[in-house]
Amino acid sequence: MADKLILVLDEGTTSTRAMLFTRKGTPMGSAQEELTQHYPQDGWVEHDAGEIWDKTLRAARAMVEKAGGADKIAAIGITNQRETVVAWDRETGEPLARAIVWQDRRTAGFCSELKNAGHEALVRMKTGLLLDPYFSGTKMRWMLDHDGEVADAAGRGALAFGTVESWLVWKLTGGGAHISDASNASRTLLMALDGAEWDANLCALLGVPQDALPRIVDNAGELAQTAPELFGGTIPICGMAGDQQAATIGQGCLSPGETKATYGTGAFILANFGADLPKPENRLLGTVLHQLDGQRHYAIEGAVFVAGSLIQYLRDTLGLIDDAQETEALARSIDHSGGVVIVPALSGLGAPHWLPDARASISGLSFASGKAHIVRAALEAMAHQTADLAQAFADDDVEWTRLKIDGGMTANNWMAQDIADFLQIEVIRPQFVETTALGAAMLAAVGCRIYADLDAAAQAMIGEVESFQPAMSDYDRNRRDVHWARAIEKL
Ligand code: ADP
């Protein structure tokens, strides 16, 4: 057992990957395949669930072979793009329709109907979420209403719904297990944050038949076994979590107040809330961080809509830079942005301002403002947006103790330091940036009892980190604060 490896299946939005880890958290190999994105109409995003499975299986088999066979793998951990819904036929095991992806907005009308009928307060209180097309429940209802095969399977009692981890477990077990972990289940609008099972009232409100839904299980434990024919021997599936929760665990945010921010295209920020039930306001979300031995821990979640996509915009639309990496040297080439402020509300402004119709601005320009000022202002906007969210979290009773960062943008050292400076907290960046996969590996390691709990797994598996200490003067901070507040006011 001691030298056995952990196999992580990391099923993201744009690619699916399999990775091998040692029990110390050292990566030993990975295989990756791109996923086809289908955009059948404006605002619609679909995946082919069959493709997801085929590519996951291929990548997993490559890693099992690399490990030297199924008996060299102690456990599988799964992490996945959240909220995406798959519908399949229990009898054939085949998908009934294209998966509706989390980004898909087609159920906006249904969400508005539910809101107008006055249901949002109850849904928010029970689930910690908002009535928004993002979440899984209304996507399931859409499939039932608009896809004849889904409706027909429901009529025959053969319909199975699930988020992506649920679909993968079904296929990995040869149809033996229809389960979903509590972190993924908490993104459906169909489970109360403190309810062990699906909520009958919420299922009725959304019109989703409970018998089509998976059984809700812990995030770690002997959750299922792979079918023997897949890998030449069975492998236990011992950990599962939605990608953002897995990253929070992989960053070692295991006690209340510990917070992680992933700066990719957008930024996802989750703060550990402990075992108390969160009641978020300020447009933040309450979500299950993990459930172990039936005990739930929660997180509060907030999103910045535009993060790395602002850098892409500077590169691709404005042509100010050729490469995202240039931004660091440009920001360092000047002492301050000269009063230039970018509010990156390119698709509205999120919490705590919540101005969905707002549009972005570049303000404070003078003849002295050059490319470097604009680029620096773009990077500074990340600290400003993060600070605004920190305030919203504080209003919801979570003071960030420090901020653990990851994602493609955090390769930028200047930005990491600026976030520490502007928020006046320690910012920590792990050297191993694949925190999502590491979190799934930690859950699997706990689930197969390599480690007694997540704290022990974090101790053993999370490697070296870099720390950025706040150093900005109050004068500079206050000046930035005033400029930002003024720019927001003008939106
Ligand atoms: P996602 O997972 O959302 O696809 P990634 O975590 O891969 O995103 O991050 C990619 C984003 O980070 C891109 O939007 C890119 O513009 C930005 N980015 C990459 N390197 C840097 C850098 N050195 N400085 C600033 N932004 C960067």
Side-chain angles (χ1 to χ4, degrees):
M1 178 86 171
D3 58 349
K4 283 192 179 185
L5 300 174
I6 295 162
L7 172 62
V8 168
L9 307 180
D10 179 355
E11 207 291 317
T13 308
T14 54
S15 72
T16 186
R17 278 196 314 170
M19 285 180 86
L20 285 174
F21 287 91
T22 67
R23 56 169 50 210
K24 298 278 185 213
T26 308
M28 299 298 283
S30 75
Q32 179 163 359
E33 301 213 25
E34 298 297 310
L35 288 175
T36 316
Q37 311 292 313
H38 299 273
Y39 304 105
Q41 288 188 32
D42 190 25
W44 293 28
V45 189
E46 297 178 348
H47 284 166
D48 176 344
E51 180 189 356
I52 290 177
W53 166 241
D54 291 344
K55 292 186 168 173
T56 301
L57 181 60
R58 204 154 51 213
R61 279 186 168 149
M63 286 302 102
V64 172
E65 198 176 315
K66 189 173 174 95
D71 60 341
K72 298 287 193 303
I73 311 271
I76 290 176
I78 300 176
T79 180
N80 57 292
Q81 49 163 315
R82 305 177 302 173
E83 295 102 9
T84 297
V85 173
V86 183
W88 68 94
D89 187 319
R90 290 180 199 279
E91 286 158 12
T92 65
E94 293 302 315
L96 291 159
R98 288 249 182 87
I100 303 185
V101 177
W102 58 275
Q103 296 139 318
D104 191 294
R105 307 298 297 171
R106 77 184 66 178
T107 62
F110 181 39
C111 289
S112 300
E113 275 171 38
L114 291 168
K115 263 190 255 184
N116 293 340
H119 294 300
E120 187 156 62
L122 179 79
V123 168
R124 185 142 176 76
M125 190 193 71
K126 282 195 176 190
T127 67
L129 307 176
L130 299 161
L131 278 171
D132 187 277
Y134 181 29
F135 305 107
S136 315
T138 61
K139 299 182 199 290
M140 293 177 186
R141 170 63 182 273
W142 195 95
M143 286 185 179
L144 283 161
D145 286 349
H146 295 89
D147 193 299
E149 285 196 45
V150 174
D152 173 64
R156 288 184 286 117
L159 174 64
F161 274 134
T163 35
V164 171
E165 87 297 353
S166 185
W167 165 241
L168 290 180
V169 171
W170 174 274
K171 295 302 275 185
L172 285 165
T173 59
H178 186 203
I179 56 177
S180 174
D181 73 82
S183 75
N184 274 294
S186 76
R187 314 296 295 180
T188 58
L189 291 173
L190 301 173
M191 185 191 82
L193 280 174
D194 58 351
E197 308 292 339
W198 302 108
D199 185 288
N201 292 332
L202 291 171
C203 290
L205 178 68
L206 268 60
V208 174
Q210 264 189 81
D211 60 4
L213 296 173
R215 186 164 54 85
I216 301 169
V217 299
D218 279 354
N219 289 90
E222 293 257 346
L223 304 172
Q225 296 272 345
T226 61
E229 64 274 15
L230 291 179
F231 303 114
T234 61
I235 307 173
I237 300 169
C238 293
M240 298 199 283
D243 53 10
Q244 296 305 322
Q245 285 92 334
T248 308
I249 292 165
Q251 281 275 28
C253 297
L254 301 176
S255 45
E258 292 267 38
T259 304
K260 74 93 196 173
T262 302
Y263 296 90
T265 308
F268 280 100
I269 303 187
L270 272 79
N272 186 312
F273 196 73
D276 295 338
L277 207 57
K279 300 234 180 303
E281 289 169 17
N282 304 299
R283 314 287 306 186
L284 300 178
L285 306 176
T287 207
V288 173
L289 176 58
H290 55 69
Q291 175 182 314
L292 300 170
D293 296 324
Q295 299 295 311
R296 286 194 183 152
H297 274 70
Y298 299 98
I300 299 225
E301 175 172 331
V304 169
F305 299 152
V306 175
S309 54
L310 177 62
I311 306 302
Q312 284 166 256
Y313 176 79
L314 297 186
R315 186 191 62 193
D316 302 337
T317 308
L318 299 187
L320 279 185
I321 49 172
D322 291 324
D323 191 306
Q325 283 179 15
E326 292 170 31
T327 57
E328 178 162 351
L330 281 165
R332 286 189 196 284
S333 71
I334 47 177
D335 289 335
H336 53 76
S337 67
V340 177
V341 177
I342 298 186
V343 182
L346 292 153
S347 53
L349 201 59
H353 310 288
W354 206 259
L355 301 167
D357 299 322
R359 287 298 168 260
S361 68
I362 306 180
S363 58
L365 292 170
S366 72
F367 282 116
S369 315
K371 178 164 85 173
H373 298 87
I374 293 177
V375 166
R376 184 164 164 139
L379 293 178
E380 287 179 351
M382 302 307 138
H384 287 289
Q385 296 188 103
T386 307
D388 286 350
L389 267 183
Q391 183 57 51
F393 275 70
D395 292 345
D396 274 333
D397 300 327
V398 194
E399 296 280 352
W400 300 355
T401 46
R402 52 190 176 164
L403 187 64
K404 296 178 171 176
I405 60 170
D406 53 45
M409 272 195 108
T410 61
N412 191 313
N413 292 308
W414 186 89
M415 188 189 89
Q417 181 60 47
D418 191 57
I419 294 170
D421 284 343
F422 192 71
L423 273 83
Q424 290 183 295
I425 53 172
E426 183 186 16
V427 166
I428 288 179
R429 183 178 64 189
Q431 279 177 7
F432 178 67
V433 294
E434 302 289 352
T435 55
T436 306
L438 183 62
M442 286 165 59
L443 285 167
V446 171
C448 73
R449 303 188 184 285
I450 292 176
Y451 299 112
D453 54 31
L454 283 174
D455 287 314
Q459 190 78 33
M461 297 176 78
I462 296 179
E464 298 280 305
V465 298
E466 282 171 80
S467 165
F468 298 85
Q469 299 290 339
M472 190 180 278
S473 72
D474 284 348
Y475 174 79
D476 285 343
R477 271 194 79 249
N478 291 339
R479 194 175 52 174
R480 290 252 310 257
D481 226 2
V482 169
H483 286 157
W484 175 257
R486 223 182 272 154
I488 295 265
E489 256 169 45
K490 280 195 237 153
L491 286 190

